[in-house]
């Protein structure tokens, strides 16, 4: 270990930190999970060459490496433990190119999604992946987890926005994957394979991503209240069935709404009520919003609609208060199952069943446009109680039975490892492990995560 | 060989054909290329179980297998030779499910893209991947090549439309990849890896694909003529830069236009003129078309615009006559390089240079919205002359230098194998070969293709 540290310091100088606070910070992410012991060192890479140096030393010495950006993950995917090198790419945060003509940008992995979007906005462009963490999460982390967000039904997931990647392999070699053109089918699509690979296959050191021209037209926002979550889910389904394509369609069940109403001192919310927020954009925004408003009314919702930006923000306030509202209740494990849109009511029914069976409340928000639910397990203390894991286990089983998935956008990391086989099956799991081995024969990249 | 044939007949009965005409048909595709010798047998699979039987026998006997759909490939990717089993999935052509609520369909691989779209259209939906071959190519083949088409800049490539796949592995095991939900990030994205894998990794036996609601609003079509291809390319770039997102934007250079004009007996075309066709759709179709029309006029184009469907079809006639026009000139090798949009003028300049150097004409059409060019090498006879390959070699080199790719949508197959390393580099090529080996340790799946 001392040998490894010496080699790192020799090669990378003051980019290597063994400062206690720095090491402790790398033991946790935003999942609430924390590793049992501090890593060996944190290397704050400034360049591709730095990353290559780290990986060469790691390979030569068989030392595990955990790549880390802003540490905002929700699955423990970038948490480090004893004996591991943390390869921090947060300082590699430059925008190397913005091509308006080719509608692409080339960025380093550490740039924050929100910062990147601010710079693009000034030029009339935007980067579509919009995880709720966008203000604090990095583009590299978004790519490593194939991050989703609120806009995915209309604007796609992160994978759809990645054209090419530069990746440093476990042994320090630099790969250049993908292309700058819209199309390209030369060989196997390793760019797509890297997206969502959670640090298992290589270190993403540069990304060529699609940028979009700012959407013209107004943005219309509708905030609606329904007597029950089933009614709200039915309205969401009816909106999609009516041929309306909202940019945002967010659903809060009664436990979520109750917590938000308490936090915001919101008047007039009855017990059991659920909340649905819809935003439309583009040239047909007003027309689509009117149609959605009519659907909501016909299904028993009371709603407000506005195309005013300030008023629109006010209508979003309840949904935006979800996280602070949860934080007031206790420690939160934010789950992330995803089901086909039509299965949303069934999934909410399963959540009610699990709540009753375990005698707990599971406030749940859903990206209703794409079927991704975030059930929040709230508990006291810092360790997830076994009862919560049992309830989560039932939740995962239900999502899979409904044709869904364990994780819509957060990833497997450490927290969902034990359920991976349940979704993939043994044959696929075995193939995935073998692919991991092709990229990382020594098993030094983010060991103990995912598999 | 006789042993293999016996096992196939025992297991699959009259699904196995050794009829001479059937074998000969499997030696070619639409690339113009033909293998030197007939395959062992063609098995026309009717079910997943049939495919599994074939693969089990192939693995037990070490016999190579070439999966084949409609045989419309343009890269020789589904061409079979002596000693190979052709696994024909064209008869597996059922639509197993259409879910309007979940905006997805589950299909067998042999369904024709055009047929699938006819059935969807009757329900107000469509499947976005639109290769020019859509009337005759299968959805399975579209997935195996990650097919592109005319609409990709606005509506994405095939990969963007695939949610999940059932795949039979080389040893006959059945894998279930992906999910029915819009989002899902459990483990490595093997669904995306299968898309475009050209039969190297497994046999696609079922696909869960996104379907879209029919685009509301009018379709506006503009047909424009410019003094030169450089002017037409500049107009295409200016249309994109103006924030217009055409559904279709097709460019024909002067050699293409000349051939089409001859075929259609088109009056009033001057030497050197180039053709640009633009279609806009959606709620802003008319507005976008007006803006594009103004851009074209300001850059010296003479154009006609119509929102009438019949007139729109008439305006597309010149572009649609490209293939028949080429067929009258001789045998055609259709190339498929792709470059960043901004490099289109430079790529056209390279083509002119190569034409002059080799004393040949290379009529070229381009999907100008996404930078994908199809230079047509025309020759007499059935064998591609070495001079044409030399010219193609220069073409590929130029596309790569401009930040592009060897193949935008046709694939590598047999025809571009020798250039694969030029684009991927040795390290990536080596990784790709190792991944192939994970899926197919005996090397029996489509041997001799791509790698």
């Amino acid at each position: 270990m001392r040998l490894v540290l010496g080699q790192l310091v020799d090669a990378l100088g003051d980019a290597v930190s063994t400062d206690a606070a720095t090491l402790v910070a790398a033991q946790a992410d935003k999942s609430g999970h924390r590793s049992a012991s501090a890593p060996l060192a944190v290397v704050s890479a400034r360049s591709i060459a730095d990353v290559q140096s780290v990986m060469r030393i790691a390979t030569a010495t068989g030392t595990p490496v955990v790549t880390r950006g802003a540490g905002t993950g929700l699955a423990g995917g970038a948490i480090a433990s004893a004996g591991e090198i943390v390869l921090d790419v947060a300082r590699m945060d430059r925008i190397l190119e913005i091509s308006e003509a080719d509608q692409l940008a080339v960025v380093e992995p550490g740039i924050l999604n929100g910062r990147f979007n601010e710079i693009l906005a000034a030029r009339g462009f935007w980067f579509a992946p919009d995880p709720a963490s966008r203000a604090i999460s990095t583009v590299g982390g978004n790519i490593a987890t194939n991050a989703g967000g609120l806009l995915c039904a209309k604007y796609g997931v992160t994978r759809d926005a990645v054209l090419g990647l530069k990746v440093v392999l476990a042994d320090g070699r630099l790969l250049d994957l993908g292309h700058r053109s819209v199309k390209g089918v030369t060989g196997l699509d390793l760019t797509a394979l890297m997206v969502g690979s959670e640090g298992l296959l290589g270190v993403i050191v540069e990304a060529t991503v699609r940028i979009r021209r700012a959407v013209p037209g107004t943005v219309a926002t509708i905030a609606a209240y329904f007597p029950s979550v089933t009614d709200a889910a039915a309205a969401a389904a009816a909106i999609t069935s009516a041929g309306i394509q909202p940019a945002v369609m967010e659903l809060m069940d009664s436990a979520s709404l109750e917590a938000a109403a308490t936090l915001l001192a919101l008047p007039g919310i009855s017990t059991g009520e659920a909340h649905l927020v819809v935003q439309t954009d583009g040239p047909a925004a007003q027309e689509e919003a009117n149609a959605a408003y009519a659907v909501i009314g016909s299904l028993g919702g009371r709603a407000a609609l506005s195309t005013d930006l300030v008023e629109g923000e006010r209508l979003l306030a309840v949904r935006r208060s979800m996280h602070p509202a949860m934080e007031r209740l206790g420690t939160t494990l934010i789950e992330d199952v995803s089901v086909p849109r039509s299965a949303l009511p069934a999934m909410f029914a399963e959540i009610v069943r699990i709540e009753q069976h375990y005698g707990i409340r599971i406030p749940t928000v859903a990206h209703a446009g794409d079927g991704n639910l975030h059930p929040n397990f709230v508990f006291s203390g810092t360790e997830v109680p076994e009862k919560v894991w049992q309830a989560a286990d039932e939740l995962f089983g239900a999502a899979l039975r409904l044709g869904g998935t364990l994780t819509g956008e957060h990833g497997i990391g450490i927290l969902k490892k034990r359920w991976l086989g349940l979704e993939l099956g043994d044959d696929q799991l075995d193939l995935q492990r073998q692919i991991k081995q092709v990229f990382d024969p020594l098993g030094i990249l983010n060991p103990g995560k995912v598999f």
Side-chain angles (χ1 to χ4, degrees), chain A:
Chain A
M1 283 302 131
R2 232 189 242 161
L3 171 80
V4 177
L5 200 55
Q7 289 186 19
L8 287 172
V9 172
D10 285 351
L12 294 137
D14 63 6
V16 183
S17 172
T18 53
D19 169 67
T22 306
L23 299 186
V24 165
Q27 287 180 248
D29 62 4
K30 295 277 185 192
S31 68
H33 192 73
R34 169 167 288 284
S35 77
S37 51
L40 178 65
V42 174
V43 181
S44 185
R46 298 148 301 196
S47 65
I48 292 176
D50 279 1
V51 173
Q52 291 183 287
S53 294
V54 170
M55 293 316 307
R56 284 193 201 105
I57 293 168
T59 281
T61 59
T63 313
V65 174
V66 178
T67 308
R68 194 175 163 96
T72 60
L74 291 166
I79 279 176
S81 313
E84 297 176 342
I85 301 168
V86 176
L87 177 47
D88 179 354
V89 296
R91 277 167 68 187
M92 293 175 66
D93 64 354
R94 290 177 303 164
I95 297 175
L96 302 174
E97 180 189 351
I98 294 175
S99 167
E100 297 185 10
D102 292 328
Q103 296 185 3
L104 62 81
V106 182
V107 300
E108 291 186 328
I111 179 115
L112 296 182
N113 179 315
R115 177 80 187 120
F116 181 35
N117 265 303
E118 277 168 26
I119 291 163
L120 290 173
R123 303 171 72 150
F125 283 84
W126 64 299
F127 176 58
D130 73 319
S133 62
R134 63 194 296 175
I136 54 169
S137 65
T138 65
V139 171
N142 297 163
I143 294 172
T145 56
N146 191 14
L150 275 60
L151 302 170
C152 301
K154 186 162 187 179
Y155 293 107
V157 293
T158 300
R159 193 194 65 190
D160 304 318
V162 180
L163 295 171
L165 293 172
K166 282 191 182 163
V167 172
V168 173
L169 292 176
D171 60 11
R173 280 177 298 163
L174 179 65
L175 280 189
D176 198 346
L177 307 176
H179 36 80
R180 289 170 63 92
S181 49
V182 174
K183 292 174 181 169
V185 294
T186 299
L188 302 173
D189 192 347
L190 299 192
T191 309
L193 185 66
M194 285 302 306
V195 177
S197 62
E198 298 193 48
L200 299 183
L201 304 183
V203 183
I204 295 166
V205 292
E206 192 180 298
T208 302
V209 298
R210 284 181 88 150
I211 57 175
R212 290 170 180 263
R213 213 165 260 287
V215 180
T218 46
V219 172
T221 308
I222 303 171
Y225 295 88
F226 289 88
S228 75
V229 70
T230 317
D231 294 325
I239 287 169
T240 304
S241 293
I244 302 159
Q245 176 60 74
V248 170
M249 185 152 64
E250 295 287 303
L251 197 160
M252 292 171 78
D253 71 353
S254 59
S256 306
L257 179 57
E258 218 171 83
T262 305
L263 180 75
L264 300 174
L266 216 64
I269 306 292
S270 310
T271 307
E273 277 196 330
H275 185 50
L276 186 70
V277 179
V278 178
Q279 266 192 338
T280 58
D281 65 2
Q286 178 75 61
E287 199 180 312
E288 289 193 295
N290 292 344
Y293 185 83
V295 169
I296 287 167
S298 72
L299 293 173
R302 55 190 169 86
L305 186 166
S306 179
T307 54
D308 180 73
L309 281 182
V310 177
E311 178 62 11
E313 269 308 302
R314 209 189 57 76
L315 294 176
L316 282 176
V318 176
R319 175 60 183 88
R320 287 209 200 283
S321 71
M322 177 68 188
H323 288 293
M326 289 300 108
E327 277 171 6
R328 283 180 54 164
L329 299 183
T331 312
T332 308
L333 172 71
I334 306 176
E335 271 316 326
D336 175 43
V337 294
S338 200
V339 296
R341 270 175 283 237
S342 63
L344 264 183
M347 192 65 218
F348 274 109
E350 290 282 351
I351 291 169
V352 170
R353 185 184 59 73
I354 295 166
E355 283 182 316
Q356 287 168 350
H357 185 255
Y358 288 92
I360 54 179
R361 294 211 73 178
I362 312 173
T364 298
V365 291
H367 306 309
D370 63 42
N372 185 195
L373 301 100
H374 296 304
N376 287 255
F377 292 94
V378 184
F379 53 91
S380 36
T382 58
E383 274 307 297
V384 180
E386 193 48 35
K387 182 162 95 166
V388 166
W389 281 129
Q390 283 169 21
D393 178 69
E394 290 206 22
L395 185 84
F396 300 151
L400 293 177
R401 278 195 306 278
L402 291 168
T405 170
L406 285 176
T407 171
E409 55 188 18
H410 294 172
I412 298 293
I414 287 180
L415 294 189
K416 285 186 185 160
K417 272 176 67 168
R418 52 172 144 160
W419 291 279
L420 187 67
L422 199 67
E423 179 167 341
L424 299 185
D426 290 343
D427 287 339
Q428 193 187 159
L429 197 53
D430 179 52
L431 270 181
Q432 296 219 353
R433 285 203 177 104
Q434 288 184 62
I435 293 170
K436 157 77 169 161
Q437 195 152 11
V438 165
F439 282 82
D440 177 23
L442 301 177
I444 58 174
L445 284 168
N446 219 6
K449 312 292 166 50
V450 185
F451 298 130

